[in-house]
Amino acid sequence: MSTEVELHVKEEIVRLVKAKFIRPARYVEWLSNIVLVKKKTGAIRICVDFRNLNLATPKDEYPMPMVDLIVDGAAKHEILFFMDGHSGYNQIFIAEEDVHKTAFRCPGSIGTFEYVVMPFGLKNAGATYQRAMNAIFHDMIGRNLEVYIDDVVVKLVCPCKCTRLM
């Protein structure tokens, strides 16, 4: 990696440590590499290659919502609010006995780190997050809102029964 890219990686690692999403790792059993992905904006995103860990992980068969049913459920409502759960995955802690499995190494002297919260790229991250969202919003899903992983649609009927929205 170029010095410039390595500095960018170091900045991102410092940000993740400050946010308490990752911590320095010691005595790792699993070790993944990072992969740099260029965004549309030209910025570089740091991803962890969890392919080997995912091969060893049993699949969580938690059912994901059917998008066409979510769209149909929202179609008859006059007011819709769309929300995206920013860093939502990072709100779910990894069990302490599994944290070491998320270890990854960085180039040069940056070091080795492990996630303490659920990162993108894990095989069952989507199912785990959907299960949490369904548990949190169980009494509102289908009535006031719809949830698809980290996307939430709040749906309302206009209280004044007007025919157009301002």
Side-chain angles (χ1 to χ4, degrees), residues 48 113 122 128 144 154:
V48 179
F113 298 87
L122 291 181
T128 301
N144 303 73
V154 177

CSV table of all heavy atoms in Angstrom, one decimal, residues 48 113 122 128 144 154:
chain,number,residue,atom,x,y,z
A,48,VAL,N,-13.4,-5.6,5.9
A,48,VAL,CA,-12.7,-6.8,6.4
A,48,VAL,C,-13.2,-8.0,5.6
A,48,VAL,O,-14.4,-8.2,5.5
A,48,VAL,CB,-12.9,-6.9,7.9
A,48,VAL,CG1,-12.2,-8.2,8.4
A,48,VAL,CG2,-12.4,-5.7,8.7
A,113,PHE,N,-6.6,-5.7,15.1
A,113,PHE,CA,-7.7,-5.2,15.9
A,113,PHE,C,-8.8,-6.2,15.8
A,113,PHE,O,-8.8,-7.1,15.0
A,113,PHE,CB,-8.2,-3.9,15.4
A,113,PHE,CG,-7.1,-2.8,15.5
A,113,PHE,CD1,-6.2,-2.6,14.5
A,113,PHE,CD2,-7.1,-2.0,16.7
A,113,PHE,CE1,-5.2,-1.6,14.7
A,113,PHE,CE2,-6.1,-1.0,16.8
A,113,PHE,CZ,-5.2,-0.9,15.8
A,122,LEU,N,-20.2,-10.0,8.1
A,122,LEU,CA,-20.4,-11.2,8.8
A,122,LEU,C,-21.7,-11.9,8.2
A,122,LEU,O,-22.7,-11.3,7.9
A,122,LEU,CB,-20.6,-11.1,10.3
A,122,LEU,CG,-19.4,-10.6,11.1
A,122,LEU,CD1,-19.8,-10.5,12.5
A,122,LEU,CD2,-18.2,-11.6,10.9
A,128,THR,N,-29.3,-11.1,12.2
A,128,THR,CA,-29.2,-10.7,13.6
A,128,THR,C,-29.9,-9.3,13.8
A,128,THR,O,-30.6,-9.1,14.7
A,128,THR,CB,-27.8,-10.7,14.0
A,128,THR,OG1,-27.2,-12.0,13.9
A,128,THR,CG2,-27.6,-10.2,15.5
A,144,ASN,N,-48.0,0.9,12.1
A,144,ASN,CA,-47.4,2.2,11.9
A,144,ASN,C,-46.1,2.3,11.1
A,144,ASN,O,-45.7,3.3,10.6
A,144,ASN,CB,-47.1,2.9,13.2
A,144,ASN,CG,-48.3,3.0,14.1
A,144,ASN,OD1,-48.7,1.9,14.7
A,144,ASN,ND2,-48.8,4.1,14.3
A,154,VAL,N,-42.0,4.8,8.2
A,154,VAL,CA,-43.1,5.1,9.1
A,154,VAL,C,-44.3,5.5,8.2
A,154,VAL,O,-44.1,6.4,7.3
A,154,VAL,CB,-42.8,6.3,10.1
A,154,VAL,CG1,-44.0,6.7,10.9
A,154,VAL,CG2,-41.6,5.9,10.9
